[in-house]
Amino acid sequence: FPTRVSNMVLGRYMYLILWLLIVFSMEYITMMYLYNMNEIQSREIITMCFCEVVVAMICFGEYTVCYKLGEVNKVIISFLHVIPGMAVFIIYPYLIEHKIISDMLINFIISNRNMTLVFCILAVTLIGYVSYLISCKICKGKEI
């Protein structure tokens, strides 16, 4: 068992990161299969990837809020756990239906695939790290 607060918080974040990696890997395999079968287009793939990045950021932020609220507000925390799951069902149809992501942006993302991937990974990593630091500070404050 972890002896320090930072180890406990890191364990929860590692659990989240592993779940995100598993889910994203399964989605990637499914998207590539459907793309090769001509069932989905690049617009849908890019929109799904954007939704995944947003959901990952929401999950990291959610951990911080849950640490701040503590065990007292279980109803609010239960509601917070539903938000990432529902975010995809809310964001994705809106983006596809209203074509928020323009064709020019789609072409830019496709032509600069590696740069876009690195930027998304850095953004999620930065949000996750800041969330981790804030969570550690909250837990240390409650411990005293």
Side-chain angles (χ1 to χ4, degrees):
F1 293 107
T3 57
R4 296 188 337 222
V5 172
S6 61
N7 288 346
M8 179 193 68
V9 174
L10 181 62
R12 290 194 74 186
Y13 276 87
M14 292 304 293
Y15 176 76
L16 175 63
I17 290 168
L18 287 175
W19 268 113
L20 289 173
L21 288 175
I22 290 169
V23 170
F24 291 170
S25 298
M26 290 171 49
E27 288 178 356
Y28 176 77
I29 292 168
T30 304
M31 285 188 290
M32 289 303 104
Y33 174 75
L34 292 173
Y35 183 76
N36 289 334
M37 299 298 288
N38 292 325
E39 295 293 324
I40 59 175
Q41 303 300 319
S42 57
R43 173 180 293 284
E44 287 88 6
I45 291 174
I46 291 171
T47 305
M48 282 186 241
C49 292
F50 175 75
C51 290
E52 290 173 359
V53 169
V54 169
V55 167
M57 290 179 183
I58 290 172
C59 286
F60 283 126
E62 176 189 16
Y63 266 35
T64 303
V65 172
C66 288
Y67 277 122
K68 183 67 177 168
L69 293 177
E71 293 293 321
V72 179
N73 300 314
K74 289 189 179 195
V75 173
I76 296 172
I77 290 174
S78 297
F79 177 71
L80 285 175
H81 290 309
V82 174
I83 291 174
M86 296 306 293
V88 172
F89 296 113
I90 294 169
I91 296 171
Y92 179 75
Y94 180 79
L95 291 175
I96 290 294
E97 184 177 312
H98 298 326
K99 290 192 176 186
I100 300 296
I101 301 176
S102 68
D103 291 332
M104 187 174 78
L105 184 59
I106 296 289
N107 292 334
F108 175 78
I109 291 171
I110 291 171
S111 64
N112 298 309
R113 192 175 330 171
N114 293 337
M115 183 182 72
T116 305
L117 179 65
V118 168
F119 176 74
C120 289
I121 290 172
L122 285 176
V124 171
T125 303
L126 180 66
I127 296 290
Y129 184 67
V130 169
S131 175
Y132 166 74
L133 292 177
I134 293 170
S135 296
C136 284
K137 186 175 179 182
I138 290 170
C139 288
K140 285 180 184 177
K142 286 183 178 183
E143 192 175 77
I144 294 175

